Amino acid sequence: MKKIGIFTSGGDAPGMNACLRAVVRSAQFHKIKVVGIKRGYEGMIDGDLIPLNDRSVSGIIHRGGTILGSARSKRFRTEEGMKQAYKNLKAKKIDGVVAIGGDGTFRGATEFSNKFNIPFIGIPGTIDNDMYGTDYTIGYDTALNTIVEAIDKIRDTASAHDRLFFVEVMGRDAGFLALLSGLASGAEGIMVPELQSDVKGLVKNLKKAQKKGKNSSIVVVAEGDDEGGAMELAEKVKVGLGDSFEIKVSILGHLQRGGNPSCFDRVLASRLGFAAVEALKSGKSNEMVGLVNQKVKHTPFNKAVKNTNKLNKELVEMAQVLAFCDNENN
Ligand code: F6P
């Protein structure tokens, strides 16, 4: 392994820069050259490649986003796009690639690497935490903290005006961000795609809580919830609640993806970046490096993309107990 390429792809996540820094510096330590591929697979196709060294990644460990840029590439799904990408990698004599991204990124990498015989090592970078083979994805912890800070602020105004707020958070088809942020912010309702939503039950709980003197409430809704996003859910709940609560909706949107990475994400990103270079050096290919029970673990791409990380559903029940302390039997 003499020269490796590195790119960030899919939705950016805080900590991607810290990871890039770790890869570049670990490689340099082993006298392996590094080429940065701009805008993910798009830059690979366009030949948008830049040499990187320890100096080019200085001062970025604390910065959100990704200095390489990111994209979701449609062209890379075509035969032509892949061929062009291969040509560009070969022209630069790149003999291994590190991909930082989510499952879409690893799907592309698997197909490409099987066709053209270039080893790829993946590092999970997405705020959604939906990757199998790691307890945490890079960016998830920061996004969680951003969401909790936002909900705390919403809580202030909700209680000042006796309002019921529906707060929609990202996560695509996964409810990790909704569950953990809801738990940490003491939400009265948490709606996640992994569990069938019970609108009637939610209305009942909110009514009971109001009777007990709770004048404001927060319901955290995952964007992928089966009842729809926060807007749809608010409409449905309004039908059941009538005028007893003034309802407001807040969709947090892309602010959840930005900001300086948390300490946790910087350490995770550094460990996985370091591990990815070790993996390429030892001849591994088509594997994702993740952190399981605090240890670096390697998972083949096809296993990582076929499976999903399971949500701890017991935490949803626990959040309900803590929000309402309501036991039908007493
Ligand atoms: O995968 C990260 C993520 O932020 C998801 O939570 C969200 O559904 C999606 O990306 C949004 O993608 P885009 O920025 O392309 O709209």
CSV table of all heavy atoms in Angstrom, one decimal, residues 263-295:
chain,number,residue,atom,x,y,z
A,263,CYS,N,-16.8,16.0,21.9
A,263,CYS,CA,-15.5,15.3,22.3
A,263,CYS,C,-15.7,13.8,21.9
A,263,CYS,O,-14.8,13.2,21.3
A,263,CYS,CB,-15.3,15.4,23.8
A,263,CYS,SG,-14.1,14.4,24.5
A,264,PHE,N,-16.9,13.2,22.2
A,264,PHE,CA,-17.1,11.8,21.9
A,264,PHE,C,-16.9,11.5,20.4
A,264,PHE,O,-16.2,10.6,20.0
A,264,PHE,CB,-18.5,11.4,22.3
A,264,PHE,CG,-18.8,10.0,22.0
A,264,PHE,CD1,-18.5,9.0,23.0
A,264,PHE,CD2,-19.3,9.5,20.8
A,264,PHE,CE1,-18.8,7.6,22.8
A,264,PHE,CE2,-19.6,8.2,20.6
A,264,PHE,CZ,-19.3,7.2,21.5
A,265,ASP,N,-17.4,12.4,19.5
A,265,ASP,CA,-17.3,12.2,18.1
A,265,ASP,C,-15.9,12.3,17.6
A,265,ASP,O,-15.4,11.6,16.7
A,265,ASP,CB,-18.3,13.1,17.3
A,265,ASP,CG,-19.7,12.5,17.2
A,265,ASP,OD1,-19.7,11.2,17.1
A,265,ASP,OD2,-20.6,13.2,17.2
A,266,ARG,N,-15.2,13.3,18.2
A,266,ARG,CA,-13.8,13.5,17.8
A,266,ARG,C,-12.9,12.3,18.1
A,266,ARG,O,-12.1,11.8,17.3
A,266,ARG,CB,-13.2,14.7,18.5
A,266,ARG,CG,-13.8,16.0,18.1
A,266,ARG,CD,-13.2,17.2,18.8
A,266,ARG,NE,-14.1,18.3,18.8
A,266,ARG,CZ,-13.8,19.5,19.2
A,266,ARG,NH1,-12.6,19.8,19.6
A,266,ARG,NH2,-14.7,20.5,19.3
A,267,VAL,N,-13.2,11.7,19.3
A,267,VAL,CA,-12.4,10.5,19.7
A,267,VAL,C,-12.8,9.3,18.9
A,267,VAL,O,-11.9,8.6,18.3
A,267,VAL,CB,-12.6,10.2,21.2
A,267,VAL,CG1,-11.9,8.9,21.6
A,267,VAL,CG2,-12.1,11.4,22.1
A,268,LEU,N,-14.1,9.1,18.7
A,268,LEU,CA,-14.6,8.0,17.8
A,268,LEU,C,-14.0,8.1,16.4
A,268,LEU,O,-13.4,7.2,15.9
A,268,LEU,CB,-16.1,8.1,17.7
A,268,LEU,CG,-16.8,7.1,16.8
A,268,LEU,CD1,-16.6,5.6,17.4
A,268,LEU,CD2,-18.3,7.4,16.6
A,269,ALA,N,-14.0,9.3,15.8
A,269,ALA,CA,-13.5,9.6,14.5
A,269,ALA,C,-12.0,9.3,14.4
A,269,ALA,O,-11.6,8.7,13.4
A,269,ALA,CB,-13.8,11.0,14.1
A,270,SER,N,-11.3,9.7,15.4
A,270,SER,CA,-9.9,9.5,15.4
A,270,SER,C,-9.5,8.0,15.5
A,270,SER,O,-8.7,7.5,14.8
A,270,SER,CB,-9.2,10.2,16.6
A,270,SER,OG,-9.5,11.6,16.5
A,271,ARG,N,-10.3,7.3,16.4
A,271,ARG,CA,-10.0,5.9,16.5
A,271,ARG,C,-10.3,5.1,15.2
A,271,ARG,O,-9.5,4.2,14.8
A,271,ARG,CB,-10.8,5.3,17.7
A,271,ARG,CG,-10.3,5.7,19.0
A,271,ARG,CD,-11.1,5.0,20.1
A,271,ARG,NE,-10.8,3.6,20.2
A,271,ARG,CZ,-11.3,2.7,21.1
A,271,ARG,NH1,-12.2,3.1,21.9
A,271,ARG,NH2,-10.9,1.4,21.1
A,272,LEU,N,-11.4,5.4,14.6
A,272,LEU,CA,-11.8,4.7,13.4
A,272,LEU,C,-11.0,5.1,12.2
A,272,LEU,O,-10.6,4.2,11.4
A,272,LEU,CB,-13.3,4.9,13.1
A,272,LEU,CG,-14.3,4.4,14.2
A,272,LEU,CD1,-15.7,4.6,13.7
A,272,LEU,CD2,-14.1,3.0,14.5
A,273,GLY,N,-10.5,6.3,12.1
A,273,GLY,CA,-9.6,6.7,11.0
A,273,GLY,C,-8.3,6.0,11.1
A,273,GLY,O,-7.8,5.5,10.1
A,274,PHE,N,-7.8,5.9,12.3
A,274,PHE,CA,-6.5,5.2,12.6
A,274,PHE,C,-6.7,3.7,12.2
A,274,PHE,O,-5.9,3.1,11.5
A,274,PHE,CB,-6.2,5.4,14.1
A,274,PHE,CG,-4.9,4.7,14.5
A,274,PHE,CD1,-3.7,5.3,14.4
A,274,PHE,CD2,-4.9,3.4,15.1
A,274,PHE,CE1,-2.5,4.7,14.8
A,274,PHE,CE2,-3.8,2.8,15.5
A,274,PHE,CZ,-2.6,3.4,15.4
A,275,ALA,N,-7.8,3.1,12.7
A,275,ALA,CA,-8.1,1.7,12.4
A,275,ALA,C,-8.2,1.4,10.9
A,275,ALA,O,-7.9,0.3,10.4
A,275,ALA,CB,-9.3,1.3,13.2
A,276,ALA,N,-8.8,2.4,10.2
A,276,ALA,CA,-9.0,2.1,8.7
A,276,ALA,C,-7.7,2.0,8.0
A,276,ALA,O,-7.5,1.1,7.1
A,276,ALA,CB,-9.8,3.3,8.1
A,277,VAL,N,-6.7,2.8,8.4
A,277,VAL,CA,-5.4,2.7,7.7
A,277,VAL,C,-4.7,1.4,8.1
A,277,VAL,O,-4.1,0.7,7.3
A,277,VAL,CB,-4.5,3.9,8.1
A,277,VAL,CG1,-3.1,3.8,7.6
A,277,VAL,CG2,-5.1,5.2,7.6
A,278,GLU,N,-4.8,1.0,9.4
A,278,GLU,CA,-4.3,-0.3,9.8
A,278,GLU,C,-4.9,-1.4,9.0
A,278,GLU,O,-4.2,-2.3,8.6
A,278,GLU,CB,-4.5,-0.5,11.3
A,278,GLU,CG,-3.8,0.4,12.2
A,278,GLU,CD,-2.3,0.3,12.2
A,278,GLU,OE1,-1.8,-0.9,12.2
A,278,GLU,OE2,-1.6,1.3,12.2
A,279,ALA,N,-6.2,-1.3,8.8
A,279,ALA,CA,-6.9,-2.4,8.0
A,279,ALA,C,-6.4,-2.5,6.6
A,279,ALA,O,-6.1,-3.6,6.1
A,279,ALA,CB,-8.4,-2.1,8.1
A,280,LEU,N,-6.3,-1.3,5.9
A,280,LEU,CA,-5.8,-1.3,4.5
A,280,LEU,C,-4.4,-1.9,4.5
A,280,LEU,O,-4.0,-2.7,3.6
A,280,LEU,CB,-5.8,0.1,3.9
A,280,LEU,CG,-7.1,0.6,3.3
A,280,LEU,CD1,-6.9,2.0,2.8
A,280,LEU,CD2,-7.6,-0.3,2.2
A,281,LYS,N,-3.6,-1.5,5.4
A,281,LYS,CA,-2.2,-1.9,5.5
A,281,LYS,C,-2.0,-3.4,5.6
A,281,LYS,O,-1.2,-4.0,5.1
A,281,LYS,CB,-1.5,-1.2,6.7
A,281,LYS,CG,-0.2,-0.5,6.4
A,281,LYS,CD,0.3,0.3,7.5
A,281,LYS,CE,0.7,-0.5,8.7
A,281,LYS,NZ,1.9,-1.3,8.7
A,282,SER,N,-3.0,-4.0,6.4
A,282,SER,CA,-2.9,-5.4,6.6
A,282,SER,C,-3.6,-6.2,5.6
A,282,SER,O,-3.9,-7.4,5.8
A,282,SER,CB,-3.4,-5.8,8.1
A,282,SER,OG,-4.7,-5.4,8.2
A,283,GLY,N,-4.0,-5.5,4.5
A,283,GLY,CA,-4.6,-6.3,3.4
A,283,GLY,C,-6.1,-6.5,3.4
A,283,GLY,O,-6.6,-7.3,2.6
A,284,LYS,N,-6.8,-5.9,4.4
A,284,LYS,CA,-8.2,-6.0,4.4
A,284,LYS,C,-8.9,-5.3,3.4
A,284,LYS,O,-8.4,-4.2,2.9
A,284,LYS,CB,-8.7,-5.6,5.8
A,284,LYS,CG,-8.3,-6.5,7.0
A,284,LYS,CD,-9.2,-6.3,8.2
A,284,LYS,CE,-8.8,-7.0,9.4
A,284,LYS,NZ,-8.2,-8.2,9.4
A,285,SER,N,-10.1,-5.7,3.0
A,285,SER,CA,-10.9,-5.1,1.9
A,285,SER,C,-12.4,-5.2,2.1
A,285,SER,O,-12.8,-6.3,2.7
A,285,SER,CB,-10.5,-5.7,0.6
A,285,SER,OG,-11.2,-5.1,-0.4
A,286,ASN,N,-13.1,-4.3,1.6
A,286,ASN,CA,-14.6,-4.4,1.7
A,286,ASN,C,-15.1,-4.6,3.1
A,286,ASN,O,-16.0,-5.4,3.3
A,286,ASN,CB,-15.1,-5.5,0.8
A,286,ASN,CG,-15.3,-5.0,-0.6
A,286,ASN,OD1,-14.9,-3.9,-0.9
A,286,ASN,ND2,-15.8,-5.8,-1.5
A,287,GLU,N,-14.5,-3.9,4.0
A,287,GLU,CA,-15.0,-4.0,5.4
A,287,GLU,C,-15.2,-2.6,6.0
A,287,GLU,O,-14.6,-1.6,5.6
A,287,GLU,CB,-13.9,-4.7,6.3
A,287,GLU,CG,-13.8,-6.2,5.9
A,287,GLU,CD,-12.9,-6.9,6.9
A,287,GLU,OE1,-12.3,-6.3,7.8
A,287,GLU,OE2,-12.7,-8.1,6.7
A,288,MET,N,-16.1,-2.6,7.0
A,288,MET,CA,-16.3,-1.3,7.7
A,288,MET,C,-15.7,-1.5,9.1
A,288,MET,O,-15.8,-2.5,9.7
A,288,MET,CB,-17.8,-1.1,7.9
A,288,MET,CG,-18.2,0.2,8.5
A,288,MET,SD,-20.0,0.2,9.0
A,288,MET,CE,-19.9,-0.5,10.7
A,289,VAL,N,-15.0,-0.4,9.5
A,289,VAL,CA,-14.5,-0.4,10.9
A,289,VAL,C,-15.5,0.3,11.8
A,289,VAL,O,-16.0,1.4,11.4
A,289,VAL,CB,-13.1,0.2,11.0
A,289,VAL,CG1,-12.0,-0.6,10.4
A,289,VAL,CG2,-13.0,1.6,10.4
A,290,GLY,N,-15.9,-0.3,12.9
A,290,GLY,CA,-16.8,0.3,13.8
A,290,GLY,C,-16.4,0.1,15.3
A,290,GLY,O,-15.3,-0.5,15.5
A,291,LEU,N,-17.1,0.6,16.2
A,291,LEU,CA,-16.8,0.5,17.6
A,291,LEU,C,-17.9,-0.3,18.3
A,291,LEU,O,-19.1,0.1,18.3
A,291,LEU,CB,-16.7,1.9,18.2
A,291,LEU,CG,-15.8,1.9,19.5
A,291,LEU,CD1,-14.3,1.7,19.1
A,291,LEU,CD2,-15.9,3.2,20.2
A,292,VAL,N,-17.6,-1.5,18.8
A,292,VAL,CA,-18.6,-2.3,19.5
A,292,VAL,C,-18.0,-2.6,20.8
A,292,VAL,O,-16.9,-3.1,21.0
A,292,VAL,CB,-18.8,-3.6,18.7
A,292,VAL,CG1,-19.8,-4.5,19.4
A,292,VAL,CG2,-19.4,-3.3,17.3
A,293,ASN,N,-18.8,-2.3,21.8
A,293,ASN,CA,-18.4,-2.5,23.2
A,293,ASN,C,-17.0,-1.9,23.5
A,293,ASN,O,-16.1,-2.5,24.1
A,293,ASN,CB,-18.3,-4.0,23.6
A,293,ASN,CG,-19.7,-4.5,23.7
A,293,ASN,OD1,-20.7,-3.8,23.9
A,293,ASN,ND2,-19.9,-5.8,23.4
A,294,GLN,N,-16.8,-0.7,22.9
A,294,GLN,CA,-15.5,0.1,23.1
A,294,GLN,C,-14.3,-0.5,22.4
A,294,GLN,O,-13.2,0.0,22.5
A,294,GLN,CB,-15.2,0.2,24.6
A,294,GLN,CG,-16.1,1.1,25.4
A,294,GLN,CD,-16.3,2.5,24.7
A,294,GLN,OE1,-15.3,3.1,24.2
A,294,GLN,NE2,-17.5,3.0,24.7
A,295,LYS,N,-14.6,-1.5,21.5
A,295,LYS,CA,-13.4,-2.1,20.8
A,295,LYS,C,-13.7,-1.9,19.3
A,295,LYS,O,-14.8,-2.0,18.9
A,295,LYS,CB,-13.3,-3.6,21.1
A,295,LYS,CG,-12.8,-3.8,22.6
A,295,LYS,CD,-12.0,-5.1,22.6
A,295,LYS,CE,-11.3,-5.2,23.9
A,295,LYS,NZ,-12.2,-5.5,25.1
